[in-house]
Amino acid sequence: MCTFSKVLLAITVFSWTPIVTAILPLTDRVLGVVQQRPLCPARPASPEFQRAASTEFISEIFFEPNGVTESFDNFISPDYIQHSPFLLSGCNNTLSVLLSASTNVNITILQIMFDSPYGMVHYRFQAPNSTAIAFMDLWRFNGTCIEEHWDVTETFPENATNPIALF
Ligand SMILES: *[C@@H]1O[C@H](CO)[C@@H](O)[C@H](O)[C@H]1NC(C)=O
Ligand SMILES: *[C@@H]1O[C@H](CO)[C@@H](O)[C@H](O)[C@H]1NC(C)=O
Ligand SMILES: *[C@@H]1O[C@H](CO)[C@@H](O)[C@H](O)[C@H]1NC(C)=O
Ligand SMILES: *[C@@H]1O[C@H](CO)[C@@H](O)[C@H](O)[C@H]1NC(C)=O
Ligand SMILES: *[C@@H]1O[C@H](CO)[C@@H](O)[C@H](O)[C@H]1NC(C)=O
């Protein structure tokens, strides 16, 4: 488990209503098992369960109070393989940066996709007094557990030619 103080973070968001309501514990109806949290280390899970868990993870990490810590504790492998260029692998390395960097930002979810074992989200990230950034995050599940992450980011350019650039 990737454990941190649970009082550090309050993300302020305005732009998205979570498309699923947290149901705890999540039931894997295909396998006929209740998947208790935390979901790591990996246990067998159906693609249907992974899809629900992927959406739930995105909902919690962006929109729940203390959601970054809670979602990392519950969904992310301690041995998280990280491909983001400025973060090292291991869940704590990502968590500590997210906790220090993500207050008072507006997140607008644009697309969510899932095709087992990969979950993906495209969103607009707006920090105070900053240029908006487009993010695409990609996660790989192993059974119940998210074990690997990639992201691609692009800052909104100053003189974009395209009126629908990035978003
Ligand atoms: C993450 O940090 C917490 C708090 O220091 C520690 O208890 C935990 O073992 C660490 N997890 C890993 C995977 O290093
Ligand atoms: C976030 O959205 C709210 C409501 O539209 C706005 O008042 C606030 O300034 C925005 N914050 C940022 C960082 O863009
Ligand atoms: C954003 O810019 C305004 C105007 O320059 C300033 O008053 C405010 O403190 C800035 N906010 C942040 C979070 O830097
Ligand atoms: C998935 O997790 C299991 C149990 O920890 C491990 O044995 C297996 O190698 C993992 N599979 C992949 C593709 O990482
Ligand atoms: C954007 O356009 C303005 C006005 O033409 C120009 O002054 C500025 O250098 C341009 N910025 C970039 C990054 O091209």
Side-chain angles (χ1 to χ4, degrees):
M1 187 184 288
C2 190
T3 301
F4 260 75
S5 159
K6 298 190 191 288
V7 296
L8 292 177
L9 185 71
I11 291 184
T12 308
V13 291
F14 300 91
S15 313
W16 190 59
T17 304
I19 59 174
V20 293
T21 306
I23 300 168
L24 299 177
L26 283 164
T27 301
D28 190 330
R29 293 198 182 92
V30 176
L31 298 189
V33 294
V34 172
Q35 300 285 17
Q36 298 285 356
R37 296 185 177 211
L39 297 171
C40 297
R43 307 182 293 272
S46 67
E48 288 80 0
F49 175 82
Q50 292 175 323
R51 178 189 297 276
S54 182
T55 308
E56 179 61 26
F57 169 70
I58 290 166
S59 172
E60 291 184 23
I61 193 170
F62 289 130
F63 302 111
E64 295 282 328
N66 297 317
V68 174
T69 302
E70 298 285 350
S71 63
F72 264 66
D73 279 351
N74 284 296
F75 292 85
I76 300 291
S77 170
D79 303 319
Y80 198 39
I81 302 167
Q82 177 62 273
H83 299 277
S84 193
F86 302 108
L87 297 171
L88 295 175
S89 292
C91 63
N92 280 346
N93 290 320
T94 296
L95 182 56
S96 59
V97 170
L98 290 180
L99 288 174
S100 65
S102 306
T103 51
N104 293 316
V105 301
N106 286 350
I107 305 278
T108 307
I109 302 290
L110 302 169
Q111 271 87 226
I112 291 178
M113 282 165 273
F114 185 81
D115 189 15
S116 181
Y118 296 102
M120 190 175 137
V121 61
H122 174 209
Y123 57 98
R124 184 181 195 278
F125 179 97
Q126 179 70 65
N129 293 347
S130 299
T131 307
I133 302 172
F135 270 83
M136 287 198 191
D137 282 307
L138 178 70
W139 291 276
R140 179 182 59 79
F141 279 75
N142 177 4
T144 53
C145 176
I146 298 175
E147 295 194 336
E148 190 165 9
H149 170 261
W150 299 257
D151 61 23
V152 180
T153 70
E154 189 168 2
T155 304
F156 197 83
E158 197 179 328
N159 296 326
T161 305
N162 186 348
I164 55 169
L166 304 189
F167 312 113

